[in-house]
């Protein structure tokens, strides 16, 4: 017990959280002594009766207000508990209190040595027995038991909260590991070359998400760029994301144009897709010698291309269906050409659909405006600036969706325009 700032005496019920035989936390509930006293008063039988909540050491935790049987100053039951060693949980004894013959009955409430005692003058029991009969005694017992059950319910609730907290901690730890595994699946070995500068980030709305990006070389001069978004969030989306990422990589290495690659990937993802999940994908193959990108947009957000000194524009194209929606879907190859100094910005719908506290969306206009401000920045600086601008718009609101971005700064190559001439040499 302790005295709070309002000078009320407060009871604290605490339950430890045990993990691997070590105490890792405590769940506790607080109840003012005045509230419990009033509860005791509601189940008191007869004006001369009293109820007392005390521990195995005889320390009074709460009691019926106004009773003569409890010494409020030193918190011990006067002439009842202290002088009666036979009065313990499960016992009923008679004793003499001044001129009164008394009956005391004690029941344990099953936690931390707490006990509930009902004190009644024998004359009250005799009078009740002679006028109403023993059924009233049953009512007394029932009412007293109802109070005991109330306390037991409170204790059970505290224990249940403790159990839930343990389970939540376990799930949180497992999700933390899953988030680490997912983050490790995203490439961070950015190319260190003179013809391209690239950076990407993924921020999940929950511990783990369904967005992903990928980039890898298929030969010395061609790099594959992937931006994808699985419908849904959490564990199911993360598992589907893992599958999609692996299947896309394998299909690319098997060869073919982007449309042929996604045709194969789509049919594979459709197999046994009982959960009905699907994934939007932007997949392009950038030729670093020419700046040409051959790509397919499978239900994904349109990319943005930035021209030095001019700013960014959204590049619209034929938007094919997402992957895993239906088998044997056809996909259309598109092309765009980057000039040295141009930037390609890929993103998921978490960027334009980010919401603030008023329900307004960030939108494409704000996105393009923020991109224009970073047209001269490096790829990593530009994405950092974008994240700051989105965070400023959203404020303290929790993320609405995963936010994934990639910026490709095409620098060109010195030998891009060299023409190879085969010379006829004499025998």
């Amino acid at each position: 017990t302790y005295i709070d700032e309002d000078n009320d005496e407060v009871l604290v019920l605490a339950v430890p959280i045990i993990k691997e035989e070590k105490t890792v936390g405590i769940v506790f509930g607080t109840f003012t002594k005045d509230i419990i006293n009033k509860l005791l008063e509601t189940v008191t039988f007869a004006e001369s009766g009293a109820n007392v909540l005390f521990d195995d050491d005889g320390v009074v935790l709460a009691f019926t207000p106004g009773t003569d049987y409890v010494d409020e100053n030193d918190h011990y039951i006067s002439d009842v508990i202290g002088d009666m060693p036979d009065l313990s949980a499960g016992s009923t004894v008679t004793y003499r209190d001044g001129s009164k013959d008394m009956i005391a009955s004690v029941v344990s409430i099953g936690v931390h040595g707490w006990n509930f005692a009902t004190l009644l003058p024998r004359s009250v029991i005799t009078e009740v027995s002679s006028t109403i009969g023993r059924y009233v005694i049953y009512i007394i017992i029932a009412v007293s038991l109802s109070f005991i059950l109330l306390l037991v319910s409170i204790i059970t609730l505290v224990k249940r909260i403790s159990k839930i907290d343990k389970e939540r901690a376990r799930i949180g730890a497992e999700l933390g590991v899953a988030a680490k595994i997912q983050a490790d699946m995203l490439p961070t070995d950015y190319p260190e070359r003179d013809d391209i500068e690239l950076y990407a980030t993924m921020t999940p709305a929950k511990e783990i998400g369904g967005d992903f990006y990928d980039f890898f070389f298929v030969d010395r001069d061609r790099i594959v760029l992937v931006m994808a978004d699985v419908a849904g969030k959490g564990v199911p989306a993360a598992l589907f994301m893992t599958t999609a990422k692996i299947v896309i990589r394998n299909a690319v290495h098997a060869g073919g144009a982007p449309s042929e690659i996604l045709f194969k990937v789509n049919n594979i993802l459709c197999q046994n897709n009982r959960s009905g999940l699907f994934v939007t994908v932007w997949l392009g193959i950038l030729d670093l010698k020419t700046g040409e990108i051959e790509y397919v947009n499978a239900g994904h957000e349109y990319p943005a291309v930035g021209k030095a000194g001019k700013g960014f524009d959204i590049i619209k194209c034929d938007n094919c269906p997402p992957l895993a929606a239906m088998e044997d879907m056809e996909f259309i190859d598109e092309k765009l050409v980057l000039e040295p100094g141009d930037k390609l910005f890929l993103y998921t719908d978490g960027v334009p659909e980010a919401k603030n506290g008023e329900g307004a969306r960030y939108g494409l206009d704000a996105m393009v405006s923020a991109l224009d401000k970073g047209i001269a920045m490096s790829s990593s600086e530009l994405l950092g600036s974008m994240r700051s601008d989105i965070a400023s718009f959203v404020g303290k609101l929790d993320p609405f969706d995963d936010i994934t971005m990639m910026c490709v700064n095409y620098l060109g190559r010195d030998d891009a325009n060299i023409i190879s001439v085969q010379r006829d040499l004499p025998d």
Side-chain angles (χ1 to χ4, degrees):
T1 63
Y2 68 93
I3 305 299
D4 66 9
E5 58 185 9
D6 296 324
N7 206 33
D8 291 327
E9 190 168 1
V10 178
L11 299 180
V12 179
L13 176 61
V15 177
I17 301 173
I18 307 298
K19 184 177 182 180
E20 297 178 355
E21 300 183 354
K22 294 183 180 180
T23 300
V24 297
I26 297 175
V27 176
F28 65 90
T30 59
F31 315 92
T32 63
K33 188 172 180 180
D34 183 56
I35 291 176
I36 296 182
N37 287 345
K38 289 179 180 179
L39 285 172
L40 290 170
E41 185 178 21
T42 62
V43 296
T44 300
F45 178 74
E47 294 183 359
S48 55
N51 291 315
V52 182
L53 187 66
F54 64 97
D55 64 17
D56 288 340
D57 295 326
V59 178
V60 175
L61 304 173
F63 56 87
T64 302
T67 179
D68 295 331
Y69 310 122
V70 178
D71 184 343
E72 186 177 359
N73 294 321
D74 60 12
H75 303 292
Y76 279 82
I77 301 177
S78 176
D79 301 325
V80 179
I81 302 298
D83 298 334
M84 299 185 66
D86 294 334
L87 187 59
S88 58
S91 66
T92 299
V93 298
T94 60
Y95 66 97
R96 187 96 177 156
D97 183 29
S99 61
K100 299 178 182 178
D101 289 329
M102 301 291 293
I103 294 178
S105 180
V106 180
V107 178
S108 172
I109 64 173
V111 65
H112 298 299
W114 284 16
N115 304 283
F116 178 79
T118 297
L119 315 178
L120 288 172
R122 179 184 287 276
S123 60
V124 173
I125 302 298
T126 303
E127 181 180 352
V128 170
S129 299
S130 62
T131 57
I132 303 177
R134 59 185 175 181
Y135 294 107
V136 176
I137 302 298
Y138 298 156
I139 296 175
I140 298 172
I141 296 172
V143 173
S144 297
L145 285 175
S146 68
F147 176 75
I148 295 170
L149 290 174
L150 173 63
L151 289 177
V152 170
S153 297
I154 293 173
I155 294 165
T156 302
L157 178 61
V158 172
K159 289 184 176 180
R160 188 176 299 168
I161 292 173
S162 174
K163 183 178 180 181
I164 292 172
D165 190 68
K166 289 180 185 177
E167 186 66 14
R168 184 179 298 165
R170 182 187 66 80
I171 294 173
E174 291 180 356
L175 286 175
V177 173
K180 178 68 167 57
I181 293 173
Q182 184 180 45
D184 290 343
M185 289 187 66
L186 301 176
T188 56
D189 52 338
Y190 301 107
E192 297 180 0
R193 298 170 55 123
D194 295 334
D195 49 6
I196 185 174
E197 187 247 335
L198 182 154
Y199 195 73
T201 63
M202 195 276 278
T203 306
K206 296 185 177 182
E207 288 85 353
I208 51 179
D211 285 9
F212 70 92
Y213 64 83
D214 202 0
F215 56 85
F216 52 94
F217 284 89
V218 289
D219 56 40
R220 182 180 180 277
D221 296 315
R222 293 187 302 156
I223 184 171
V224 177
L225 308 171
V226 180
M227 181 63 61
D229 182 3
V230 176
K233 304 177 184 65
V235 175
L239 292 173
F240 199 77
M241 160 258 178
T242 303
T243 302
K245 183 176 181 296
I246 294 172
V247 173
I248 288 173
R249 274 220 175 196
N250 290 339
V252 169
H253 288 302
S259 60
E260 297 169 330
I261 292 169
L262 291 192
F263 180 85
K264 298 174 187 175
V265 173
N266 177 64
N267 283 347
I268 293 173
L269 294 180
C270 282
Q271 296 174 7
N272 300 318
N273 183 19
R274 297 185 181 90
S275 60
L277 293 174
F278 61 88
V279 55
T280 65
V281 177
W282 190 97
L283 183 146
I285 301 176
L286 169 60
D287 187 328
L288 294 173
K289 291 189 300 183
T290 63
E292 182 180 88
I293 303 177
E294 188 176 17
Y295 69 94
V296 169
N297 190 337
H300 200 75
E301 301 293 312
Y302 295 122
V305 173
K307 299 286 186 180
K310 296 181 180 180
F312 279 83
D313 290 307
I314 301 295
I315 306 301
K316 295 188 176 182
C317 61
D318 286 326
N319 211 332
C320 302
L323 305 186
M326 185 180 298
E327 288 185 278
D328 297 327
M329 298 297 296
E330 297 292 336
F331 298 91
I332 301 173
D333 287 314
E334 303 276 355
K335 289 185 180 181
L336 65 87
V337 178
L338 299 179
E339 301 293 337
D342 289 352
K343 287 183 172 65
L344 172 68
F345 179 72
L346 304 174
Y347 56 98
T348 58
D349 59 4
V351 175
E353 294 182 4
K355 289 184 179 180
N356 62 15
E358 298 176 355
R361 296 182 186 274
Y362 186 63
L364 288 176
D365 290 342
M367 184 189 80
V368 172
S369 177
L371 288 171
D372 287 344
K373 294 176 183 177
I375 189 68
M377 297 179 181
S378 67
S379 295
S380 60
E381 291 172 340
L382 177 59
L383 295 194
S385 176
M386 286 296 301
R387 292 178 68 177
S388 297
D389 198 66
I390 295 170
S392 177
F393 174 81
V394 171
K396 296 181 179 180
L397 198 68
D398 290 335
F400 172 73
D401 198 0
D402 304 335
I403 295 177
T404 305
M405 300 178 287
M406 178 190 295
C407 182
V408 179
N409 187 7
Y410 177 64
L411 304 175
R413 286 179 54 177
D414 293 337
D415 60 349
N417 296 319
I418 294 178
I419 301 174
S420 176
V421 178
Q422 181 179 0
R423 297 180 178 178
D424 292 327
L425 298 178
D427 294 332

